[in-house]
Amino acid sequence: MEEKIIDENKQGEALVLEATNGNTRKLFIESYGCQMNFSDSEIVASILAKQGYNTTKILEEADLVLVNTCSIRDKAEQTVRKRLEKYNAVKRTNPKMKVGVLGCMAERLKSKFLEEEKIVDMVVGPDAYKDLPNLLEEVEAGRDAVNVILSKEETYGDIAPVRLGGYGVTAFVSITRGCDNMCTFCVVPFTRGRERSRDPQSILTEVNDLAEKGYMEITLLGQNVDSYLWYGGGLKKDFKNASEIQKATATNFAQLLDMVATAQPHMRIRFSTSNPQDMTEDVLHSMAKHKNICNYIHLPVQSGSTRILKEMNRQHTREEYIALINKIWEIIPDCAISQDIITGFPTETEQDHRETLSLMEYVKYDFGFMFMYSERPGTTAARKLEDDIPLDVKKRRLTEIVDLQLMHSAYRTKKFVGKTLEVLIEKESKKSDQHWSGRTQYNTVAVFPKENYKVGDLVMVKVEDCTSATLLGVAVDYAE
Ligand code: 5AD
Ligand code: SF4
């Protein structure tokens, strides 16, 4: 077991995206990694729609194949390398097909990619997608093309994404790019650059447009949403040099949440990802104030040991994290919480590991995303710390953490049995064409008979039973 994710979101699985328009050239675009990458692929599809590309789900008929890549762990990179082999096989039958690599691996490996993988024609980093039309011209002229320049300003705020997933019900809206936190294990600051926020007006315009098109739920996206800060553009770290007027009129994340929730009171609002050291009480108050902001926070902790947290440069202790959890429960008593945890970070002892388990016992997270530490080239941890925890120890610790999380997820899920909860219908259940599948505000999946309801309906569902992670119920006409 290399990594284990307990959630319906199937992180790490590729999503092939498709949307149709009047264009003739065919783009096959595939995304790996985080939600931000999926969201970026929608921006790329929008840029290429103007270049005459229509998306397809059939690899064999593509004129252009783009793979939006992830570097977070070695395994994510290996998955992409395997995919390139598959593209290679297809290219033999379709020699005109061009292949581009986007995203974090593109940024990390730069032009080395062209040397290492002969199939690749184009390498484009996360801040360079607006250059795609020029890069494609190069490629069409038979030359390799690379742009991996990171930007201080780029937020793609002016681009209306082509919606490729979400069944017309849920959508991602990106609000920040990059990350300044510099956790020692993490490659993201290197691949996605410094943190910058998007103009709140362009966020509102996008949200209002989604509402008009019938979307019922949005997720505000960023590597670190709590440090959202708009003061007229530019890097977050340069805010200290901003003018007094800029400082006085700046918008923070709590205010942004308030704006969006007020503008669209019938739309569900979610956000991801939160960082313990940046999450303010104001954010919790915004959540409590607006019924339409879902009571669910993804709050990665990484480790329950203060010593390891320090080695990770997480900027908070175990005690501070627990105090934040208590604050969340005080302000939003029913708030669902999920975690990310890394096992086997360099120097992690059995005692550190037990502290992670005991923290989990305290919080009893609703969901969890758990990973073995994977050393990433160039990070502080890779430069300064030896990857000294043997693989079998990492694996055993991961298994213990995953088993505990399974118990907690089942415990949290079971607590909903007998309750009547609002569920947003997203799609047909995978297991039965007679049932709908949707999510509660707590992000728990609920399945119930279709009756006359349709995708996009908000339905009150009486929960009668559950599996370890799914609620089973029936729709009722009223809340009990
Ligand atoms: N090794 C293992 N897991 C990692 N993550 C980030 N970097 C690494 C790494 N080098 C995990 C963290 C983060 C999630 C997105 O991926 O838990 O929160
Ligand atoms: Fe992967 Fe991180 Fe890049 Fe997202 S930001 S694609 S998780 S490396």
Side-chain angles (χ1 to χ4, degrees):
M1 183 170 49
E2 184 11 50
E3 69 185 43
K4 180 94 185 191
I5 294 152
I6 304 175
D7 192 279
E8 76 295 349
N9 287 333
K10 297 261 169 58
Q11 252 192 5
E13 231 177 48
L15 189 66
V16 179
L17 307 160
E18 183 181 56
T20 43
N21 52 33
N23 288 328
T24 50
R25 291 200 280 183
K26 290 196 161 54
L27 163 69
F28 178 93
I29 182 161
E30 196 169 38
S31 283
Y32 292 85
C34 62
Q35 293 163 331
M36 193 61 112
N37 253 14
F38 292 88
S39 169
D40 280 359
S41 290
E42 296 187 327
I43 286 165
V44 168
S46 172
I47 291 167
L48 292 182
K50 295 196 183 75
Q51 302 298 307
Y53 283 94
N54 201 353
T55 51
T56 174
K57 281 188 172 172
I58 304 164
L59 175 59
E60 287 71 15
E61 68 173 28
D63 300 298
L64 175 63
V65 174
L66 295 179
V67 57
N68 204 345
T69 61
C70 175
S71 287
I72 201 102
R73 285 169 289 275
D74 184 54
K75 193 179 164 220
E77 295 202 349
Q78 295 312 324
T79 309
V80 168
R81 302 257 186 198
K82 285 239 170 64
R83 263 324 259 167
L84 292 174
E85 283 171 24
K86 167 77 184 168
Y87 299 164
N88 223 341
V90 174
K91 193 163 176 165
R92 269 181 233 124
T93 59
N94 179 8
K96 282 207 196 116
M97 181 180 107
K98 303 290 181 201
V99 175
V101 181
L102 315 177
C104 291
M105 248 177 117
E107 191 64 49
R108 197 177 82 71
L109 293 166
K110 305 186 170 51
S111 54
K112 258 202 292 184
F113 230 124
L114 297 169
E115 295 152 29
E116 290 174 13
E117 304 282 354
K118 292 283 168 263
I119 174 104
V120 174
D121 303 296
M122 186 168 72
V123 180
V124 193
D127 284 348
Y129 299 145
K130 281 189 188 156
D131 196 28
L132 272 166
N134 300 325
L135 297 168
L136 276 172
E137 261 181 40
E138 286 292 300
V139 167
E140 265 147 31
R143 291 185 287 270
D144 289 336
V146 180
N147 187 343
V148 288
I149 296 170
L150 288 173
S151 161
K152 285 183 180 181
E153 303 282 341
E154 188 57 83
T155 61
Y156 300 112
D158 54 335
I159 292 188
V162 171
R163 301 290 164 189
L164 298 167
Y167 304 92
V169 179
T170 62
F172 295 126
V173 175
S174 85
I175 65 164
T176 68
R177 294 186 76 80
C179 185
D180 287 349
N181 276 359
M182 289 311 233
C183 301
T184 57
F185 53 78
C186 191
V187 78
V188 174
F190 303 96
T191 60
R192 286 188 168 267
R194 297 280 78 79
E195 203 172 290
R196 65 222 98 114
S197 297
R198 177 176 170 193
D199 182 345
Q201 285 312 320
S202 84
I203 295 171
L204 263 186
T205 304
E206 188 173 334
V207 172
N208 291 339
D209 180 53
L210 285 164
E212 234 166 68
K213 291 189 171 125
Y215 282 80
M216 296 293 290
E217 180 184 296
I218 54 152
T219 303
L220 303 176
L221 274 189
Q223 252 75 41
N224 182 6
V225 285
D226 296 292
S227 79
Y228 174 86
L229 186 67
W230 172 259
Y231 61 97
L235 296 181
K236 165 89 186 267
K237 72 177 180 58
D238 293 336
F239 179 63
K240 53 184 182 304
N241 305 323
S243 70
E244 289 313 311
I245 293 176
Q246 281 176 314
K247 284 186 178 158
T249 56
T251 306
N252 66 22
F253 184 53
Q255 291 161 329
L256 180 75
L257 269 181
D258 200 52
M259 273 170 66
V260 172
T262 306
Q264 293 299 336
H266 302 296
M267 217 172 188
R268 273 186 175 184
I269 319 284
R270 297 185 186 277
F271 53 88
S272 188
T273 294
S274 297
N275 253 290
Q277 70 265 40
D278 299 305
M279 178 162 241
T280 62
E281 231 176 287
D282 286 349
V283 168
L284 301 176
H285 288 300
S286 287
M287 290 176 75
K289 180 173 152 198
H290 294 280
K291 210 174 148 269
N292 58 326
I293 303 180
C294 293
N295 289 350
Y296 167 57
I297 302 174
H298 181 52
L299 196 65
V301 65
Q302 316 300 358
S303 169
S305 152
T306 295
R307 190 185 69 80
I308 292 291
L309 289 170
K310 193 150 193 282
E311 293 287 359
M312 290 175 162
N313 191 30
R314 289 291 289 174
Q315 317 275 349
H316 62 83
T317 61
R318 171 193 176 90
E319 289 68 31
E320 283 162 344
Y321 184 87
I322 289 175
L324 177 59
I325 296 282
N326 291 341
K327 195 47 94 189
I328 293 171
W329 285 337
E330 182 191 314
I331 298 173
I332 313 161
D334 62 337
C335 197
I337 303 172
S338 60
Q339 45 86 347
D340 285 350
I341 290 174
I342 297 175
T343 66
F345 186 78
T347 77
E348 185 187 66
T349 62
E350 284 305 313
Q351 174 59 24
D352 294 320
H353 171 58
R354 278 194 296 274
E355 287 185 29
T356 299
L357 291 168
S358 79
L359 180 82
M360 291 174 74
E361 277 295 1
Y362 182 78
V363 183
K364 295 195 171 53
Y365 292 98
D366 293 70
F367 314 100
F369 302 82
M370 291 146 286
F371 316 96
M372 283 192 289
Y373 173 68
S374 166
E375 187 178 87
R376 308 312 296 133
T379 57
T380 307
R383 283 188 284 114
K384 301 220 165 122
L385 299 167
E386 189 194 338
D387 184 6
D388 61 350
I389 309 299
L391 189 61
D392 58 332
V393 175
K394 281 185 187 170
K395 277 190 182 164
R396 196 244 314 139
R397 288 179 187 165
L398 180 64
T399 305
E400 286 175 15
I401 281 174
V402 166
D403 288 349
L404 189 60
Q405 182 55 53
L406 278 170
M407 272 171 56
H408 292 158
S409 293
Y411 164 82
R412 292 287 179 198
T413 311
K414 218 178 256 166
K415 280 203 147 186
F416 291 121
V417 175
K419 298 220 162 91
T420 299
L421 303 168
E422 195 176 62
V423 174
L424 175 61
I425 302 178
E426 288 176 15
K427 56 188 175 197
E428 192 167 88
S429 159
K430 269 190 205 148
K431 294 204 176 127
S432 151
D433 62 5
Q434 302 299 307
H435 288 74
W436 289 129
S437 168
R439 276 177 301 152
T440 68
Q441 66 161 328
Y442 310 107
N443 212 31
T444 313
V445 172
V447 169
F448 59 96
K450 280 183 173 174
E451 299 181 57
N452 292 323
Y453 298 102
K454 57 185 192 311
V455 166
D457 283 350
L458 266 174
V459 183
M460 296 309 295
V461 172
K462 176 147 179 111
V463 182
E464 295 177 325
D465 200 357
C466 67
T467 66
S468 60
T470 306
L471 305 173
L472 312 169
V474 285
V476 289
D477 287 338
Y478 57 93
E480 283 176 358

